[in-house]
Amino acid sequence: MIKKILFSYQNKTQLIIAMMGSFLGFTFLVTSIHYLIRVNEFGEGEEILGNNTMIIQKQINNFSSLNITKNDFSEREIERIRNEKFTEKLEPILSNNFDISLQTDSELIPYLRTDVFVQSVDNDFTKIDSTKWQWNPGDDFVPIVLPREFLVMLNTFASAKGIPPISDDLAKSVGFKFTLSSPGKKEMEKVRIVGFTNEVSAILVPSSFMEYGNSNFPKDEPAIITQLMLTVKEGLFGEFESYLKMRSLESKENSMVVGKLKSVAGTLFSILITISGITVFLAGLVLVQYAQLLISRNEYEIRTLLRQGYSPQKIIQSILSYFIKVFAIISGASIVAFALAKYFIDKLLVKGGIQIDSGFTMLSILAVILAFGIYSIVNYFNAKRGVLRTP
């Protein structure tokens, strides 16, 4: 009865325009938030380095080969890079200053021994479980993170011996040994693989093992720092890239490509989120204005209903339930449109070689629910104020 009196004879042109604006705003908003999250997740997979984390080093040229220029970083250079505004965190990568070799220690694969290069990085830069990434003298084994290139080489070697290739999981169960040596001194330590990386070319070991080796098996030459681990602040990848070119520094190409992709896509989606938010806000204002206009035009009807004994709360609930249905239609249509758009966008990304998680992100759906809730609350107080002040 109340809804028929209040809503049946209203011009709904303004309402339809506001609903269309809200629908477009909601759809763009949920789509932008979803793909901003997925873009930031891109390239992570099982990689042990944290987000936006790069390894940088000096470019090698003819002068470096002739020892005219140095390829190591001084303390002054490290501090200068640390103070750049694009730098979130920066620490030197420690390298072994002792002789070390790795050999197989398992019947599953043929005997292989090779000199290796090991490094350690601050654990704040990695996603390695700290409980698995620790070592003290006397422990049963040294945990290591192995470059995938090494596993490929190992599988190539195994295939040449007629042995089936080794999977990641199997490699973690294969026994290895480190041999640390210096003139007149040698020591062997058992090794266990706890992860793999595409970003680091050396075998990663805990910093405590690196300190132990450098202290007990040192070479005559002093240790130098040739690589730095750096985390770039969100949105400042362009400045970081320009700095590398200006200072003749370099990073691994695939890391730069992924970083650039995240930076550009993140900026675009952030702009789209802002525009979508403004659209949703303006459309919401139009809906609120429509509700105010509806109450204003129906002052006589509302007054009559009140005099007939209808409670103000019942009239308010009728107005609120009407607009809740409007908001529900907008939200539902937006989520359906997002699901359809996502299906086609995901297919295009897969064709382009960009593999991302195909699931829905909870935050994008929550954004619609939050906007729905804010609209409903604002409309409730708007309806309450309009009804109660009706003379």
Side-chain angles (χ1 to χ4, degrees):
M1 177 68 177
I2 296 176
K3 290 182 181 179
K4 186 174 182 180
I5 293 173
L6 296 179
F7 303 110
S8 295
Y9 306 104
Q10 297 298 320
N11 185 344
K12 293 183 172 57
T13 303
Q14 184 180 10
L15 176 63
I16 293 171
I17 293 173
M19 288 178 67
M20 291 177 61
S22 295
F23 163 73
L24 293 174
F26 275 32
T27 303
F28 289 139
L29 182 65
V30 68
T31 304
S32 303
I33 292 175
H34 172 82
Y35 283 104
L36 179 61
I37 294 171
R38 288 295 182 240
V39 164
N40 285 327
E41 292 173 348
F42 177 70
E44 291 183 14
E46 297 181 357
E47 185 53 54
I48 57 97
L49 295 186
N51 295 335
N52 299 331
T53 297
M54 310 280 175
I55 296 173
I56 62 173
Q57 59 194 22
K58 292 185 177 181
Q59 292 179 349
I60 304 300
N61 52 37
N62 293 334
F63 295 106
S64 304
S65 303
L66 296 172
N67 286 327
I68 297 176
T69 60
K70 295 183 178 180
N71 68 333
D72 61 313
F73 292 93
S74 65
E75 288 295 332
R76 183 178 178 182
E77 289 173 315
I78 294 172
E79 197 60 31
R80 182 173 60 197
I81 300 173
R82 183 179 281 120
N83 292 330
E84 292 293 331
K85 63 180 180 179
F86 57 75
T87 303
E88 184 172 318
K89 290 184 298 185
L90 180 139
E91 292 295 336
I93 298 177
L94 302 180
S95 303
N96 60 296
N97 194 36
F98 55 93
D99 291 326
I100 182 170
S101 63
L102 178 69
Q103 68 185 61
T104 55
D105 186 30
S106 172
E107 296 180 356
L108 297 174
I109 54 177
Y111 177 79
L112 171 68
R113 181 183 180 278
T114 179
D115 292 336
V116 292
F117 181 57
V118 297
Q119 293 181 322
S120 66
V121 299
D122 193 308
N123 206 41
D124 289 341
F125 291 93
T126 72
K127 296 178 286 187
I128 305 174
D129 186 350
S130 58
T131 60
K132 298 179 180 179
W133 195 243
Q134 52 187 346
W135 179 86
N136 292 298
D139 283 355
D140 294 336
F141 62 87
V142 180
I144 66 170
V145 172
L146 199 67
R148 271 189 201 283
E149 292 93 336
F150 190 91
L151 185 60
V152 172
M153 180 191 72
L154 193 62
N155 279 329
T156 303
F157 179 73
S159 297
K161 297 290 184 178
I163 298 173
I166 304 168
S167 66
D168 288 5
D169 291 335
L170 183 59
K172 292 179 181 179
S173 64
V174 171
F176 290 90
K177 284 183 180 179
F178 273 150
T179 300
L180 292 74
S181 60
S182 62
K185 191 176 182 181
K186 181 180 291 187
E187 182 178 315
M188 300 188 76
E189 295 284 350
K190 290 187 176 181
V191 171
R192 180 176 297 174
I193 300 170
V194 297
F196 298 90
T197 176
N198 292 312
E199 298 299 320
V200 185
S201 299
I203 296 174
L204 293 182
V205 297
S207 57
S208 55
F209 177 79
M210 183 68 73
E211 293 169 1
Y212 175 81
N214 284 336
S215 299
N216 292 277
F217 301 89
K219 291 183 178 179
D220 294 333
E221 303 87 0
I224 59 174
I225 297 170
T226 59
Q227 292 182 317
L228 305 176
M229 187 74 76
L230 184 148
T231 299
V232 183
K233 290 180 180 177
E234 289 286 350
L236 296 180
F237 188 84
E239 294 189 21
F240 167 68
E241 188 177 26
S242 298
Y243 185 87
L244 292 185
K245 292 179 180 178
M246 182 176 64
R247 297 290 181 179
S248 297
L249 302 173
E250 63 183 1
S251 184
K252 201 166 185 178
E253 185 63 29
N254 64 335
S255 299
M256 295 295 291
V257 170
V258 171
K260 187 180 294 186
L261 170 67
K262 289 183 176 182
S263 179
V264 173
T267 301
L268 291 176
F269 282 124
S270 296
I271 294 171
L272 189 54
I273 287 173
T274 302
I275 295 173
S276 302
I278 294 172
T279 303
V280 170
F281 175 73
L282 294 176
L285 288 181
V286 175
L287 285 172
V288 170
Q289 185 184 43
Y290 177 83
Q292 291 174 339
L293 187 61
L294 183 144
I295 294 171
S296 176
R297 289 176 177 175
N298 285 278
E299 281 188 1
Y300 174 77
E301 287 81 358
I302 293 173
R303 189 186 313 116
T304 302
L305 289 170
L306 292 172
R307 288 175 179 176
Q308 288 179 352
Y310 287 94
S311 66
Q313 192 62 33
K314 189 173 183 61
I315 299 173
I316 293 169
Q317 288 176 354
S318 297
I319 296 173
L320 179 62
S321 64
Y322 177 83
F323 281 98
I324 283 179
K325 290 180 182 178
V326 170
F327 300 149
I329 291 171
I330 295 170
S331 302
S334 299
I335 292 175
V336 171
F338 160 65
L340 292 173
K342 178 182 174 300
Y343 172 77
F344 290 106
I345 293 173
D346 286 352
K347 287 185 68 174
L348 288 174
L349 291 176
V350 170
K351 285 183 179 179
I354 300 176
Q355 301 289 337
I356 62 173
D357 191 336
S358 60
F360 289 87
T361 54
M362 184 59 66
L363 186 59
S364 58
I365 306 300
L366 286 176
V368 176
I369 296 173
L370 178 63
F372 177 90
I374 293 174
Y375 272 11
S376 299
I377 292 171
V378 170
N379 191 67
Y380 169 76
F381 285 106
N382 183 57
K384 182 178 180 180
R385 185 175 65 252
V387 171
L388 293 182
R389 74 181 181 184
T390 300

